[in-house]
Amino acid sequence: MPVGGRHSRAILTVVLGFMLLSPLAVSSARVQTVVQSPTPVGTVCIASASATLCPTNPVVITGEVGDKIQVAVSIQNSSIFNEFDVFVKADPSIINATGFDLSASVLSSPAISTACVNGHLIRGSIACSPQDGPGIAHLTAAAGCAGVTLACGFGVGNLFNINYTVVGATLGSPIDFETGCYGGLPTTPCVTIQFIPANILCCPPPDLENLQTGTFVTGPSNGNGTPVSTTASFEGLTARIVGNILVNSTARTLLGTLSVTVDNDTSGQTIFSKTYTILATRILRSDPLYIFILAIPISPFTLGGIITFNSATNQVSSALMRNPDFTRAGIVNIVDATDVFFEFGWTSISPGFLPQADLDGDGIINIFDATTVSYCFNAPVFS
């Protein structure tokens, strides 16, 4: 459940002034107004550099201070295009942009007309715009196909990567798109995706795109945070949990990366493996304990790896049982607790018995189940 990050779905508003001022516009003595469909045709997103498509959920990108990282701007499900103009913004005190990489770009032989980083033109012949400044990485490029025909059209893949240096620590800093460019409304995103044929009298309107942003967090990895290596067993299964977590005791925030493998004790076969990004911006406890749950979807019941970190001792412990967030709310809440206490004392043969509330799977909802759901109350659940 990555947090700190956000998913915005924005429709690009196109006006004549925007088209004439945009670096993608083609000058002409004749101008014709074109009415656009209000329905977005695709998605432009922030993604990890290795991704070829937009992630299902807003991406969380990690790195340590001093690291050189890449952040991708990708596109999918769009109509064909051969030019783009994109402004990406990030906090330069956290990740500082240094340049661009088009080696994986979906565009064929992309030609750069504007490449601005922190307000400075580093490549191309068209000057930076007033929206270029600290934290802005602005790139305008077009495909180098001969003839600019429909064969020179693209719709899915990586647009470009931005090179960053990690210069500051954060538990969550947004990677977003700038707004208000080229005379547009202050809320209009500075993202233009366009197909421009050869020998036209006027520029056709840009495609309408959904936008998906991302979040950058600092570490933790080896040498940064508290190392985690713990094992827990339940009903013939053993879960091994390794990684690192980083805690801000003042803000009560938690950050980490944990890898989980679950093996069948009888066959020795690994039946589940996943790496979780842990980013909790609020832990509702006043004591040194930080409790969170890793949801492990195994049939017939989703299990929960209950992780407890003691910030006073830097000790980590774990337990494995049925997921106490059996209502799948992303947090152990009052609904989960009410179900357990309402059915207290019920057995597997009781009418209306909820096997999910039998957390230890012993056939009766008893003091163990009630104690567990109380212990985990308000704990965030990551899946």
Side-chain angles (χ1 to χ4, degrees), residues 62-78:
T62 63
E64 296 185 57
V65 174
D67 283 354
K68 308 292 185 182
I69 65 170
Q70 285 193 326
V71 174
V73 178
S74 297
I75 189 169
Q76 69 182 43
N77 300 327
S78 181

Side-chain angles (χ1 to χ4, degrees), residues 162-180:
I162 307 172
N163 300 322
Y164 286 102
T165 299
V166 182
V167 295
T170 179
L171 286 175
S173 183
I175 306 172
D176 206 343
F177 298 97
E178 181 63 300
T179 58

Side-chain angles (χ1 to χ4, degrees), residues 294-307:
L294 306 178
I296 303 172
I298 293 177
S299 180
F301 301 107
T302 295
L303 302 184
I306 302 174
I307 311 299

Side-chain angles (χ1 to χ4, degrees), residues 100-169:
F100 303 95
D101 177 8
L102 285 91
S103 61
S105 178
V106 67
L107 290 185
S108 172
S109 304
I112 294 174
S113 56
T114 301
C116 293
V117 172
N118 296 321
H120 301 288
L121 185 69
I122 63 171
R123 190 174 173 185
S125 58
I126 299 179
C128 299
S129 77
Q131 281 70 32
D132 286 302
I136 303 297
H138 169 203
L139 185 64
T140 307
C145 310
V148 197
T149 64
L150 290 177
C152 181
F154 310 89
V156 177
N158 172 277
L159 292 178
F160 60 94
N161 292 335
I162 307 172
N163 300 322
Y164 286 102
T165 299
V166 182
V167 295

Side-chain angles (χ1 to χ4, degrees), residues 256-275:
T257 302
L258 296 177
S259 295
V260 177
T261 58
V262 179
D263 295 337
N264 184 299
D265 293 341
T266 301
S267 66
Q269 181 182 7
T270 297
I271 62 172
F272 178 83
S273 179
K274 182 175 180 177
T275 297

Side-chain angles (χ1 to χ4, degrees), residues 50-321:
S50 60
T52 57
L53 296 175
C54 292
T56 302
N57 299 308
V59 68
V60 176
I61 295 172
T62 63
E64 296 185 57
V65 174
D67 283 354
K68 308 292 185 182
I69 65 170
Q70 285 193 326
V71 174
V73 178
S74 297
I75 189 169
Q76 69 182 43
N77 300 327
S78 181
S79 59
I80 64 170
F81 66 93
N82 57 17
E83 300 193 22
F84 64 78
D85 181 39
V86 178
F87 293 68
V88 175
K89 65 179 179 180
D91 186 344
S93 68
I94 302 298
I95 52 174
N96 184 49
T98 59
F100 303 95
D101 177 8
L102 285 91
S103 61
S105 178
V106 67
L107 290 185
S108 172
S109 304
I112 294 174
S113 56
T114 301
C116 293
V117 172
N118 296 321
H120 301 288
L121 185 69
I122 63 171
R123 190 174 173 185
S125 58
I126 299 179
C128 299
S129 77
Q131 281 70 32
D132 286 302
I136 303 297
H138 169 203
L139 185 64
T140 307
C145 310
V148 197
T149 64
L150 290 177
C152 181
F154 310 89
V156 177
N158 172 277
L159 292 178
F160 60 94
N161 292 335
I162 307 172
N163 300 322
Y164 286 102
T165 299
V166 182
V167 295
T170 179
L171 286 175
S173 183
I175 306 172
D176 206 343
F177 298 97
E178 181 63 300
T179 58
C181 300
Y182 308 125
L185 297 174
T187 56
T188 300
C190 302
V191 176
T192 306
I193 305 297
Q194 200 163 15
F195 181 85
I196 300 182
N199 302 320
I200 62 171
L201 294 178
C202 176
C203 44
D207 293 334
L208 302 173
E209 306 288 348
N210 298 304
L211 301 181
Q212 181 170 302
T213 62
T215 301
F216 175 79
V217 296
T218 311
S221 61
N222 292 333
N224 181 12
T226 299
V228 175
S229 180
T230 182
T231 301
S233 297
F234 178 72
E235 294 187 338
L237 302 175
T238 297
R240 292 174 176 80
I241 304 166
V242 296
N244 281 265
I245 55 176
L246 180 66
V247 167
N248 183 324
S249 298
T250 301
R252 299 295 295 178
T253 54
L254 181 71
L255 170 68
T257 302
L258 296 177
S259 295
V260 177
T261 58
V262 179
D263 295 337
N264 184 299
D265 293 341
T266 301
S267 66
Q269 181 182 7
T270 297
I271 62 172
F272 178 83
S273 179
K274 182 175 180 177
T275 297
Y276 296 77
T277 298
I278 312 300
L279 180 59
T281 56
R282 192 179 181 193
I283 302 292
L284 299 177
R285 296 180 70 102
S286 58
D287 57 30
L289 298 184
Y290 291 75
I291 300 168
F292 61 94
I293 298 167
L294 306 178
I296 303 172
I298 293 177
S299 180
F301 301 107
T302 295
L303 302 184
I306 302 174
I307 311 299
T308 302
F309 173 69
N310 189 322
S311 61
T313 63
N314 279 345
Q315 296 297 309
V316 179
S317 60
S318 64
L320 186 66
M321 61 192 66

